[in-house]
Amino acid sequence: MPPHCDSMDGPVVTAAQKALAADDVDLVLPYVPASGEDEVRDAFDRVMPLHAADGPGADVARLWFDETVVRVHRAGEHAPYTGLKPAGLDVGPVIPLAEKAVESGEAGEVFQALAAELHHELTRRLDNVQRLAARKDESVPAARDYVHAMLGFEVYANNVHQALQAEPHGEDGHSHG
């Protein structure tokens, strides 16, 4: 998964910063699993006095809170926490379209982008299978190349199917990465 949930401009840090600004930890709790709620509440309670005072430690305290929330969020996905990523990283073409779809309620642009990419990949892979099929009877290595490509195409198609059938983010206990 491209950087998103663990970036400084991603939804988790954005929610953490909104929670601090509003003095309302409930604004960030939906981004962490219930099992991590106490840790986030404790971190929030520790950071708020420094955040409110806006003294020399406020920026460090806010960053620590952001890191804590993202770490707990990632743990809820059974994914490693590898640190906060800077804002402005390329998240690929689909995340912005998905965010736009969430706001508008229209999935058309996401569908078109994914359908075009899927069509391109299936065609590219199948063309390779067909190219290798024409040579498969020439030698064992040629047959092996064909079998590798043919099985790769089938496994790719099955993996896409499984991804389409997967539970939404966070419901299956697995990472989105």
Side-chain angles (χ1 to χ4, degrees):
M1 167 102 182
H4 189 242
C5 288
D6 57 356
S7 66
M8 291 300 292
D9 57 352
V12 179
V13 171
T14 299
Q17 292 170 357
K18 285 180 182 176
L20 290 173
D23 191 11
D24 184 359
V25 71
D26 288 349
L27 296 177
V28 74
L29 292 178
Y31 291 87
V32 299
S35 62
E37 185 174 321
D38 289 343
E39 183 177 359
V40 171
R41 284 183 183 280
D42 180 60
F44 183 84
D45 290 343
R46 290 174 181 221
V47 167
M48 276 312 295
L50 293 168
H51 169 73
D54 207 27
D59 288 339
V60 173
R62 285 189 285 265
L63 181 61
W64 177 76
F65 183 66
D66 294 343
E67 289 176 333
T68 299
V69 172
V70 170
R71 180 180 48 75
V72 172
H73 169 83
R74 297 288 289 163
E77 299 173 326
H78 302 283
Y81 172 67
T82 59
L84 292 176
K85 309 300 183 281
L89 295 177
D90 181 7
V91 295
V94 176
I95 294 289
L97 293 176
E99 289 174 337
K100 185 177 174 184
V102 168
E103 290 176 16
S104 71
E106 296 292 326
E109 287 185 60
V110 177
F111 172 77
Q112 292 299 323
L114 293 174
E117 186 172 343
L118 178 59
H119 184 263
H120 171 78
E121 274 303 306
L122 288 171
T123 301
R124 183 184 69 77
R125 292 166 187 256
L126 186 56
D127 286 349
N128 186 47
V129 170
Q130 296 303 309
R131 182 180 58 77
L132 294 171
R135 300 181 25 234
K136 70 179 181 177
D137 296 329
E138 293 175 7
S139 68
V140 171
R144 190 174 288 126
D145 288 345
Y146 164 74
V147 168
H148 180 76
M150 179 262 304
L151 292 176
F153 175 79
E154 293 172 3
V155 168
Y156 176 79
N158 187 61
N159 287 343
V160 170
H161 172 74
Q162 288 178 335
L164 292 171
Q165 300 299 314
E167 293 294 327
H169 171 70
E171 290 186 21
D172 61 359
H174 291 78
S175 165
H176 60 252

